[in-house]
Amino acid sequence: MESLITSPLFWLLASIGIILTGISKSGFAGGAGVVAVPLLALVIPVPTAVFLMLPLLLVMDGRTIQYYWRHANWNELRAILPAAIAGIVAGGFLLGELPDKLLKLLLGVISIVFALWQRLAPWLGSMRGSGWLWGSISGLTSTLLHAGGPPINIYLIARNLPKLTWLATAGIFFGAMNALKVVPYVLSGQWPLWLLWLSLALIPIALLGTRLGKWVQGYISDRHFMLCCRALLLFSGLLLVVQSLVQYWG
């Protein structure tokens, strides 16, 4: 812990990753929320980064829900939340067991393909069981890597929701998922108390990020919002693929 507190690089990467995650959550429905863990993983182990981020994600989700909850689409939430819970349960059993480089590679490739191939949207939106497919994948990857944004945005992009409805629905979805993830994280026995205190120290940065995200989305139209979400999905996918390949070659 002492080495982290005195490391300027840790604070720099943590600040960048948390602010971008906060902006993503309250401004772009979590599309680039995967950026924090890869950045933190440059200076701390991936499991440590994952546990460090969970309290911060809960704070950011709470603020995002506070901003937008009146616009939520509850029918969509009923379609994806049960699947996400199943994914979280599976992820809880796989914590520390499944190579994250394989998950990152597969998720990254899927995200890139969808972001670049716009004609996939109508097909994914109408195919049978899409809510269960993407909801469960989101719950699984969120539990293991805090990378639940790309798969659920694949589903939400296909639904063509208005901007505020998208933000509210995604905010409640991620808030519920991250709250449920506390159970397997605690049961894993890998969450030290000192790491929780470090998370609490970073909360002001998380709140700054969500505030910036709310300000940014107010200046973006629905059309540009969709383009931004596709761009963030592409960015997220590329980031995941690059990190997984680095892990394979390392």
Side-chain angles (χ1 to χ4, degrees), residues 18-27 60 67 203-216:
I18 292 166
I19 287 175
L20 288 176
T21 300
I23 293 173
S24 175
K25 278 187 169 293
S26 61
M60 290 186 277
Y67 289 152
I203 284 178
I205 300 174
L207 293 174
L208 173 62
T210 54
R211 183 63 184 173
L212 289 173
K214 186 176 187 297
W215 176 76
V216 167

Side-chain angles (χ1 to χ4, degrees), residues 103-228:
L103 277 173
K104 290 177 184 177
L105 181 61
L106 293 175
L107 178 58
V109 169
I110 291 171
S111 299
I112 291 168
V113 169
F114 182 75
L116 295 178
W117 193 1
Q118 189 170 354
R119 292 184 179 180
L120 275 178
W123 180 73
L124 288 175
S126 61
M127 75 178 196
R128 190 177 184 87
S130 60
W132 271 95
L133 173 64
W134 300 114
S136 60
I137 292 175
S138 181
L140 176 65
T141 56
S142 180
T143 303
L144 297 175
L145 302 166
H146 293 322
I152 205 59
N153 276 341
I154 288 173
Y155 174 80
L156 291 176
I157 285 174
R159 309 306 289 171
N160 198 29
L161 300 174
K163 178 175 61 176
L164 293 181
T165 301
W166 183 326
L167 288 167
T169 304
I172 294 172
F173 176 78
F174 288 125
M177 276 210 309
N178 286 323
L180 290 170
K181 280 156 53 179
V182 171
V183 176
Y185 278 37
V186 171
L187 292 178
S188 73
Q190 303 175 47
W191 200 354
L193 184 60
W194 67 265
L195 196 57
L196 179 59
W197 285 112
L198 187 56
S199 299
L200 295 177
L202 291 165
I203 284 178
I205 300 174
L207 293 174
L208 173 62
T210 54
R211 183 63 184 173
L212 289 173
K214 186 176 187 297
W215 176 76
V216 167
Q217 69 81 25
Y219 292 90
I220 298 177
S221 68
D222 283 10
R223 177 176 174 274
H224 289 126
F225 176 74
M226 290 291 290
L227 291 175
C228 287

